Amino acid sequence: MLDIDDTFDAVHGHQQLRLFNAFYDEFGFQPIVVFDGEGRLVGTLLRPARRPKGAESAAHIRRLIRQIARHWPETEILLRADSHYCTPQVLDLCDRLGLRYVFGLSKNGRLAQNISALEASTAARYVRTPGQKLRRFKTFSYAARSWSKPRRVIARVEVGPMGRDTRYIVTNLEGGRGKHLYEKLYSARGQAENHIKAWKAHLAADRTSCSKVNASQMRLMLHGCAYWIWWKLRAACPKRSPWRRAQFDTLRLHLVKLAATIVEKKTRIIVTLPASCPRKGLLLLLFDALAPPKTA
């Protein structure tokens, strides 16, 4: 499972590749970030602060899949992304490489024609039983003019106190009900925003202040390494403990910002914690869980 997204990174100098973004009213970058379904950072690409076009997105996905296939050639891959990654180039690339996908799809008049009756009946049903939101789904085949073939589209129609809201996704998954694919599979990609927040806010990944683009890209890679260290530490915590869901800044505050005596020897490093350390039990558990395997 690969979740593809991008994020705005403001800059305050004359760095290479910086670009003014009218939506944010600032100069900056807009790197593409990819996480897997478990929240691990797969890769990040520094780029100007504009929405990636279809050819650029397809090229980045092609390089990424090529590297993954070198190490795990038999692994099946499912891509999830919002609507601005749903371009003809990306869709055709997924077909050629045998990738499964669930992408958001932008609204248009032709799509609306397919669900006008469903929207009307849903609104009428909500009027009869007002209060809670009413959500219904419809699956149909659709082909945009720029697409090479018809594809499976799932419409989600929701009516509530705030009015009517309709969203679309497109997928090449043949099985599964539309409700399950939208609510359980596609909507779960929203976790990628939380991963980006942890990467930027807790690990300062937006400090791309180098004047040269290669140096700023290297900074992203170093922050990616830091993300992996913290993800690995959190994954080693007991499954049913609140630490397994803690944010990186919380883990740093409780597990790293501690008074300790550190002694470096030739073959090992000794960390002596105070007897009153409040997280002593958790730290001992993590030391055992993360220790390298013993040699025979």
Side-chain angles (χ1 to χ4, degrees), residues 4-225:
I4 306 172
D5 207 344
D6 48 68
T7 181
F8 182 74
D9 176 9
V11 300
H12 306 284
H14 296 278
Q15 292 91 333
Q16 290 180 338
L17 288 188
R18 75 169 190 145
L19 190 69
F20 183 77
N21 188 299
F23 180 82
Y24 295 98
D25 196 28
E26 286 188 279
F27 284 90
F29 303 121
Q30 195 161 333
I32 295 177
V33 187
V34 182
F35 296 89
D36 74 354
E38 299 296 326
R40 288 171 288 228
L41 180 62
V42 178
T44 177
L45 175 67
L46 191 71
R47 50 181 304 282
R50 60 169 178 263
R51 176 173 293 184
K53 296 183 179 179
E56 181 185 0
S57 299
H60 180 56
I61 293 172
R62 187 187 305 110
R63 290 192 298 268
L64 182 64
I65 299 303
R66 185 185 302 129
Q67 293 299 320
I68 294 175
R70 286 179 56 189
H71 300 279
W72 301 282
E74 303 300 326
T75 299
E76 295 184 359
I77 297 176
L78 172 67
L79 299 181
R80 295 189 299 197
D82 60 16
S83 58
H84 67 262
Y85 286 94
C86 182
T87 64
Q89 296 90 335
V90 172
L91 294 174
D92 291 340
L93 175 69
C94 291
D95 291 337
R96 290 197 305 271
L97 299 181
L99 304 175
R100 296 177 294 172
Y101 60 82
V102 180
F103 294 142
L105 183 61
S106 300
K107 303 176 183 179
N108 61 51
R110 286 188 57 200
L111 287 171
Q113 292 175 2
N114 286 276
I115 62 163
S116 57
L118 180 65
E119 288 179 327
S121 63
T122 304
R125 183 180 299 183
Y126 176 78
V127 170
R128 293 194 297 269
T129 57
Q132 295 183 348
K133 292 182 179 179
L134 182 61
R135 177 177 286 190
R136 300 173 71 189
F137 297 85
K138 181 180 179 180
T139 301
F140 55 93
S141 179
Y142 167 78
R145 292 181 180 178
S146 56
W147 291 3
S148 59
K149 64 179 183 180
R151 305 178 191 274
R152 183 186 184 188
V153 171
I154 298 168
R156 187 224 69 188
V157 177
E158 182 177 275
V159 180
M162 302 299 293
R164 185 177 63 193
D165 180 47
T166 301
R167 303 290 178 89
Y168 304 91
I169 61 173
V170 58
T171 180
N172 60 354
L173 297 175
E174 297 180 357
R177 297 174 55 195
K179 176 181 175 66
H180 174 79
L181 293 177
Y182 187 94
E183 294 184 342
K184 302 300 182 182
L185 187 60
Y186 176 73
S187 296
R189 63 164 294 277
Q191 284 296 326
E193 297 183 3
N194 294 328
H195 304 328
I196 291 175
K197 174 186 175 182
W199 184 58
K200 291 176 63 177
H202 304 156
L203 301 177
D206 54 353
R207 293 189 60 182
T208 48
S209 55
C210 298
S211 60
K212 301 296 184 182
V213 62
N214 288 341
S216 294
Q217 176 66 58
M218 186 63 189
R219 277 179 175 264
L220 289 184
M221 294 171 64
L222 291 175
H223 289 290
C225 294

